[in-house]
Amino acid sequence: GEDVEQSLFLSVREGDSSVINCTYTDSSSTYLYWYKQEPGAGLQLLTYIFSNMDMKQDQRLTVLLNKKDKHLSLRIADTQTGDSAIYFCAESIGTGGFKTIFGAGTRLFVKA
Amino acid sequence: DAGVIQSPRHEVTEMGQEVTLRCKPISGHDYLFWYRQTMMRGLELLIYFNNNVPIDDSGMPEDRFSAKMPNASFSTLKIQPSEPRDSAVYFCASSPRRTGLGYTFGSGTRLTIV
């Protein structure tokens, strides 16, 4: 069945780059997403990448997609304490791609 | 737009009682999703609707769970009778017709069954 896997924790120092990795199983995924969840809040869409793209950059965020290996990564440049949150990788599946499967989330700790 | 609105934000109920969670999606969004989040199981899709019609309810854990969407601006998730293992954060999310735009999530309802 469909599955999305990601490491559970990442700790970085303020100012360094963070790289959060994810693997997925559905090769027919049309879109892959990164969501951010802050304490007590719902998930917020950070960025997405279409499956025919290799890379997408949006300010401090860079998404890399290796479709052959079904590997997705999110790089956050110049990580700030405000970036501390849980980051979810997700893939759209099924006809029309409306159903989304989420990973377990990577908790990012940023040390000042 | 005020975003996806869920109520209540917190609910503490005794085991065996009926619980009703409410959601108002973003106007114009054709899809509505109910997710449950727990430490052990992460984020689970319970059910989703397209134009008020349930499309996939394979994630609904038991017959104790039911969901309705009587119109485009309102949905409910009901648990009857509730059990302690139903304690979780329940999220509602909505999405427009066009794929790739992702979901907009509500702030969630933290449900505790004692």
Side-chain angles (χ1 to χ4, degrees), chain A residues 13 91 107:
Chain A
R13 291 191 181 279
E91 62 170 340
R107 187 177 292 273

Side-chain angles (χ1 to χ4, degrees), chain A residues 31 33 35 37 40-45 48 88 96-104, chain B residues 9 31 33 35 37 43 45 48 56 58 91 96-97 99-103 105-107:
Chain A
Y31 289 92
Y33 306 89
Y35 286 81
Q37 185 181 29
L43 279 70
Q44 175 192 5
L45 179 65
Y48 66 92
F88 290 88
F98 290 107
K99 187 173 173 179
T100 300
I101 301 298
F102 289 83
Chain B
R9 284 299 311 272
Y31 287 82
F33 306 83
Y35 280 86
Q37 185 178 38
L43 207 57
L45 175 64
Y48 79 94
D56 185 348
S58 59
F91 287 104
R97 180 190 305 268
T99 56
L101 298 181
Y103 298 173
F105 279 79
S107 299

Side-chain angles (χ1 to χ4, degrees), chain A:
Chain A
E2 308 94 5
D3 196 18
V4 177
E5 293 191 355
Q6 49 184 131
S7 55
L8 294 182
F9 299 99
L10 176 65
S11 179
V12 299
R13 291 191 181 279
E14 191 175 23
D16 288 350
S17 291
S18 308
V19 179
I20 302 172
N21 294 300
C22 164
T23 57
Y24 61 96
T25 56
D26 192 335
S27 57
S28 65
S29 290
T30 310
Y31 289 92
L32 296 125
Y33 306 89
W34 286 102
Y35 286 81
K36 176 183 181 182
Q37 185 181 29
E38 295 180 345
L43 279 70
Q44 175 192 5
L45 179 65
L46 273 183
T47 186
Y48 66 92
I49 188 167
F50 190 50
S51 58
N52 67 355
M53 298 169 65
D54 298 324
M55 185 183 85
K56 180 178 181 181
Q57 188 150 2
D58 184 0
Q59 300 182 342
R60 292 191 298 122
L61 305 179
T62 302
V63 178
L64 295 178
L65 174 60
N66 182 328
K67 199 170 180 182
K68 173 175 168 289
D69 295 337
K70 298 179 191 167
H71 182 267
L72 184 74
S73 68
L74 173 69
R75 178 177 180 269
I76 305 172
D78 187 25
T79 312
Q80 302 297 306
T81 54
D83 294 324
S84 294
I86 303 175
Y87 290 82
F88 290 88
C89 173
E91 62 170 340
S92 63
I93 62 170
T95 304
F98 290 107
K99 187 173 173 179
T100 300
I101 301 298
F102 289 83
T106 299
R107 187 177 292 273
L108 175 64
F109 296 94
V110 182
K111 296 175 286 188

